[in-house]
Amino acid sequence: MLVILGLLTSLLSFLYFRAPSIRKFFAGGVCRSNVQLPGKVVVITGANTGIGKETARELARRGARVYIACRDVLKGESAASEIRADTKNSQVLVRKLDLSDTKSIRGFAERFLAEEKQLHILINNAGVMMCPYSKTADGFETHLGVNHLGHFLLTHLLLERLKESTPSRVVNLSSLLHHAGKIRFHDLQGEKRYSRGLAYCHSKLANVLFTRELAKRLQGTGVTTYAVHPGVVSSEIVRHSFLLCLLWRIFSPFVKSAWEGAQTSLHCALAEGLEPLSGKYFSDCKKAWVSPKARDNKTAERLWNVSCELLGIQWE
């Protein structure tokens, strides 16, 4: 027992001693684009904290008019105030958006469309993870409802504005964990069997499939779309899991910062010449390998149709 404890102590000591070089290895790519955004309009969901906040900060620094769309308006205003002071860009605005309630999504879209005549970048960044079983205001399982259906509806409602503002882009945050996901059409709401870890994986697979099908349907419109794995990032998304919160604290020297986690989102939003890669999945600022399940066109099309039925919308 003492030998084992000694080995563990030695291992942890080694890891922490080597933390700077290990972190550099796991930090991943950096967005190298120099594109500036004066006159451009951006919407980022969940940008009041974490990856979304750092994404908003960088886009504001480049001169964009940035809308922070979030559920907690007070936290959103605090983040916006910080970003405005940091970037000297006064055009950082906060609007209420609760992705767990389709009425809130429709209300946000209606107000935004009345306020803005253009939309150049939509970043579907917000998400939930490891939630105990619960349902949204509309009766959807929470991971499916927030991570997939909420952003599916938001994109649908804002799509015409994106088409009117081409070239424009839609960036969907997914995860490496989509590899463990499965679209269980017979039990989408998790009522027969539920695992809060797998529910997150299923929703992240849905994000990649949505991106794939959206790209196919947007061919020739000037709107392109990309799915993103931000990496293992220190953020509030793990707040529903005590174990993950503990692991994040223990291994915090080795996981990405929110700034590092934002780099691939920024790359897909800004990098020139990405249009031929619309519908693809990116990690560390480059196209990455995707699960075979995420390349299934029949599943992507079926999920699209089922999503439209659940939301009561028609999407050409």
Side-chain angles (χ1 to χ4, degrees), residues 54-109:
E54 293 307 315
T55 305
R57 189 193 308 274
E58 182 58 32
L59 297 178
R61 184 173 285 118
R62 294 170 185 249
R65 180 176 171 90
V66 178
Y67 283 82
I68 293 175
C70 61
R71 183 175 57 180
D72 190 331
V73 174
L74 288 178
K75 287 183 71 173
E77 291 291 357
S78 176
S81 178
E82 178 187 323
I83 292 170
R84 286 192 292 262
D86 185 31
T87 65
K88 305 298 185 290
N89 182 346
S90 62
Q91 298 300 298
V92 181
L93 309 170
V94 180
R95 298 293 182 267
K96 172 80 172 181
L97 172 65
D98 184 350
L99 288 162
S100 69
D101 186 345
T102 58
K103 288 183 179 178
S104 176
I105 299 168
R106 291 181 182 278
F108 167 84

Side-chain angles (χ1 to χ4, degrees), residues 48-261:
N48 56 313
T49 186
I51 296 169
K53 180 180 174 182
E54 293 307 315
T55 305
R57 189 193 308 274
E58 182 58 32
L59 297 178
R61 184 173 285 118
R62 294 170 185 249
R65 180 176 171 90
V66 178
Y67 283 82
I68 293 175
C70 61
R71 183 175 57 180
D72 190 331
V73 174
L74 288 178
K75 287 183 71 173
E77 291 291 357
S78 176
S81 178
E82 178 187 323
I83 292 170
R84 286 192 292 262
D86 185 31
T87 65
K88 305 298 185 290
N89 182 346
S90 62
Q91 298 300 298
V92 181
L93 309 170
V94 180
R95 298 293 182 267
K96 172 80 172 181
L97 172 65
D98 184 350
L99 288 162
S100 69
D101 186 345
T102 58
K103 288 183 179 178
S104 176
I105 299 168
R106 291 181 182 278
F108 167 84
E110 183 179 349
R111 291 188 294 272
F112 175 83
L113 293 174
E115 192 171 359
E116 289 288 347
K117 300 306 179 186
Q118 291 186 309
L119 174 59
H120 302 94
I121 301 171
L122 169 62
I123 302 181
N124 291 321
N125 166 86
V128 294
M129 182 182 189
M130 297 287 286
C131 298
Y133 187 77
S134 58
K135 291 189 175 182
T136 68
D138 302 276
F140 307 133
E141 186 278 316
T142 298
H143 294 89
L144 177 75
V146 173
N147 296 351
H148 169 59
L149 292 173
H151 285 127
F152 187 97
L153 177 60
L154 179 65
T155 306
H156 166 71
L157 295 171
L158 299 181
L159 188 59
E160 286 306 313
R161 193 64 89 239
L162 285 159
K163 288 180 177 178
E164 294 166 358
S165 310
T166 55
S168 54
R169 295 185 181 183
V170 179
V171 179
N172 297 317
L173 265 73
S174 180
S175 168
L176 181 68
L177 291 175
H178 82 271
H179 286 276
K182 183 178 181 181
I183 305 302
R184 303 171 68 244
F185 288 106
H186 66 288
D187 188 25
L188 276 179
Q189 309 303 337
E191 294 172 329
K192 297 178 182 179
R193 187 178 64 189
Y194 181 74
S195 161
R196 59 185 186 172
L198 286 176
Y200 176 76
C201 299
H202 301 333
S203 71
K204 295 293 101 178
L205 174 59
N207 294 151
V208 182
L209 289 166
F210 169 47
T211 304
R212 185 178 185 86
E213 184 68 13
L214 181 62
K216 184 178 77 173
R217 292 171 182 255
L218 290 178
Q219 286 180 357
T221 65
V223 184
T224 53
T225 181
Y226 313 90
V228 165
H229 167 55
V232 181
V233 180
S234 178
S235 73
E236 293 182 7
I237 196 171
V238 299
R239 64 189 179 276
H240 294 291
S241 170
F242 172 77
L243 178 60
L244 284 180
C245 287
L246 180 62
L247 289 173
W248 255 238
R249 285 184 176 275
I250 293 172
F251 293 102
S252 59
F254 316 114
V255 301
K256 287 184 177 184
S257 66
W259 181 88
E260 291 165 339

